[in-house]
Amino acid sequence: MEDHLRRLVRLQRLEDRLTILRRRAAGLPAELSERAAHLAALEAEVEQVAAERQQALARAQDLENRSVTQEERIAKLEAQLRETRDPAAAEVARHEVEGLRQQVSAEQEEALGLLESAEGLAERHRALAARLEEAREDLERFRETVAADEAELEAEIAGLLARRDATLAELPSDARAHFESLSEQGRGKIAVPMKADSCGGCGTRLVPNDAMKVRSRKLLHRCPSCARFLVAPDLWNEEAEDAAAAGA
Ligand SMILES: [Zn+2]
């Protein structure tokens, strides 16, 4: 009977390990999609900066074209001013020239500002594009790692399942059926050590006679409340130490 109890402790250790590995395997796709989303955000940012730079350049070009037209108008007005003998007409022309000069000067300043900002955006674009390239390579490497990790986890899980099945096969059939049923329910802890005469799973206190039975190591006793298998604490620790010594 003690052998069966030891098998239960080993089975519980296998269940624990399987839970961890399954959780890890389930987490890999989530991490992958998180990284892919980060890359997509970076791509959008690179495009946004390129578009902003194009807008700044186009606006600067518009202003430049306007300045050329305005300069032509100024030259024409100045020619008129040199020829006219009408003081009122001269005053109007001078006024227009002054207004145009102010406009040209303001717009040229704006165009310069835009060109400067386009240069800054070009610098930012180069930096972002480099980061994007790096992130793409990182993601590609991560994808390969995930694929390798998944294969490794699957192999490890398959190995643990084989050990679990082999150990289960050695249990009496009713105990095996009970263990499998609790495992399918996702109970996590199926065999637990008794703790100070209470169930190590749910904390229910055992009647003294039952606690004695568990300590006797002579039968597979289940908690009356949560139905988990109860194992004498010293036997639990012995088995755990043996497993650690065996590197399992
Ligand atoms: Zn219990």
Side-chain angles (χ1 to χ4, degrees):
M1 188 52 60
E2 195 173 306
D3 284 347
H4 288 325
L5 286 162
R6 284 180 180 276
R7 282 181 193 114
L8 281 173
V9 178
R10 284 205 295 278
L11 279 166
Q12 184 56 53
R13 289 173 63 86
L14 290 168
E15 287 283 317
D16 291 346
R17 186 86 191 118
L18 278 165
T19 303
I20 291 169
L21 293 180
R22 283 178 178 140
R23 207 171 289 156
R24 202 176 292 163
L28 287 173
E31 199 180 342
L32 191 59
S33 64
E34 203 174 293
R35 287 188 185 217
H38 173 73
L39 185 70
L42 199 55
E43 273 166 353
E45 200 182 346
V46 171
E47 274 172 32
Q48 172 70 22
V49 168
E52 276 174 31
R53 176 174 173 269
Q54 281 310 318
Q55 273 169 17
L57 288 174
R59 171 82 181 139
Q61 188 57 56
D62 278 353
L63 291 169
E64 198 56 46
N65 295 343
R66 268 167 64 99
S67 288
V68 170
T69 313
Q70 284 161 340
E71 295 282 8
E72 281 166 8
R73 175 74 184 148
I74 289 169
K76 201 173 157 194
L77 286 166
E78 280 175 338
Q80 280 173 15
L81 271 170
R82 281 193 294 275
E83 286 159 18
T84 188
R85 301 198 187 287
D86 177 353
E91 184 52 34
V92 168
R94 261 196 297 276
H95 189 71
E96 193 183 342
V97 166
E98 199 182 313
L100 281 169
R101 284 202 194 288
Q102 277 174 7
Q103 221 178 327
V104 166
S105 150
E107 287 178 356
Q108 279 183 342
E109 205 167 305
E110 191 187 346
L112 270 179
L114 284 164
L115 288 176
E116 243 172 67
S117 126
E119 214 169 292
L121 286 166
E123 188 62 42
R124 197 155 153 240
H125 187 264
R126 273 192 293 276
L128 278 172
R131 255 177 65 196
L132 181 62
E133 190 53 37
E134 210 173 298
R136 277 203 185 110
E137 284 168 13
D138 272 358
L139 184 62
E140 206 37 58
R141 274 197 295 274
F142 186 68
R143 260 186 227 287
E144 286 164 15
T145 310
V146 165
D149 283 359
E150 272 174 346
E152 206 173 295
L153 281 171
E154 267 166 35
E156 207 176 331
I157 287 171
L160 289 175
L161 284 174
R163 274 169 65 191
R164 178 182 178 276
D165 288 349
T167 311
L168 268 175
E170 290 169 349
L171 280 184
S173 63
D174 57 338
R176 179 168 67 232
H178 186 64
F179 192 98
E180 280 174 333
S181 147
L182 289 188
S183 176
E184 276 161 23
Q185 288 167 33
R187 287 287 193 92
K189 301 291 179 196
I190 301 162
V192 292
M194 187 171 69
K195 282 181 182 158
D197 293 2
S198 293
C199 167
C202 71
T204 296
R205 190 162 178 80
L206 303 177
V207 297
N209 195 37
D210 283 350
M212 212 173 65
K213 282 184 198 160
V214 174
R215 266 194 295 274
S216 77
R217 308 178 174 195
K218 289 204 172 68
L219 75 175
L220 299 180
H221 194 78
R222 293 183 210 159
C223 169
S225 176
C226 69
R228 292 181 172 100
F229 290 104
L230 290 166
V231 178
D234 46 356
L235 176 60
W236 184 280
N237 293 336
E238 278 168 33
E239 182 54 37
E241 279 163 25
D242 289 354

